[in-house]
Amino acid sequence: MSHKVADGTFDAEVLKNKGYTLVDFWAEWCGPCRQIAPVLEELAETYKGRVNVAKVNVDHNRLGSEYGIQGIPTLIAFKDGQIVGRLVGFGGRKSIVDFFEQATR
């Protein structure tokens, strides 16, 4: 299951996390963000123990601007606190699965 991350918890839960963390930058008003949500929840369960899935609401946190988010949804994959991949938009379930696979190799 994914969990919410905010400005105050991002360092501890993402940047200092050992292993893989996928961060979904989203907003409640974003249609594609709502479409991607069930796919991310499914993958969070499938990859449980291998990938930590976090969500950042760009309307309530400054992290979006810090990471250059210009379109949502944007997924950023981190390994040991370093960015290892980025996916912008929702191109369907397969694109998300492929992104997960590439980012966690």
Side-chain angles (χ1 to χ4, degrees), residues 13-14 21-23 25 27-29 34 39 42 47 49 51 53 55-56 59-60 65 69 75 78 86 88 98-99 101:
E13 295 190 43
V14 177
T21 302
L22 179 86
V23 181
F25 290 87
E28 291 177 22
W29 50 264
R34 289 192 303 271
V39 176
E42 174 192 332
Y47 289 82
V51 178
V53 179
K55 297 177 74 65
V56 173
D59 287 338
H60 301 286
S65 62
I69 305 301
L75 302 176
F78 293 83
R86 182 182 292 249
V88 180
D98 290 347
F99 177 71
E101 288 295 326

Side-chain angles (χ1 to χ4, degrees), residues 12-21 50 52 78-81:
E13 295 190 43
V14 177
L15 299 181
K16 293 180 181 172
N17 183 49
K18 296 296 178 202
Y20 293 100
T21 302
R50 185 172 157 205
N52 182 30
F78 293 83
K79 180 179 184 209
D80 300 331

Side-chain angles (χ1 to χ4, degrees), residues 19-96:
Y20 293 100
T21 302
L22 179 86
V23 181
D24 173 23
F25 290 87
W26 70 287
E28 291 177 22
W29 50 264
C30 169
C33 297
R34 289 192 303 271
Q35 290 177 305
I36 201 174
V39 176
L40 291 176
E41 289 301 321
E42 174 192 332
L43 292 174
E45 286 301 315
T46 300
Y47 289 82
K48 192 175 189 174
R50 185 172 157 205
V51 178
N52 182 30
V53 179
K55 297 177 74 65
V56 173
N57 186 321
V58 296
D59 287 338
H60 301 286
N61 298 282
R62 71 180 190 290
L63 289 163
S65 62
E66 288 182 22
Y67 283 91
I69 305 301
Q70 295 182 353
I72 55 174
T74 292
L75 302 176
I76 299 180
F78 293 83
K79 180 179 184 209
D80 300 331
Q82 300 298 311
I83 295 174
V84 295
R86 182 182 292 249
L87 179 68
V88 180
F90 179 48
R93 184 182 185 287
K94 183 173 177 357
S95 69
I96 303 300

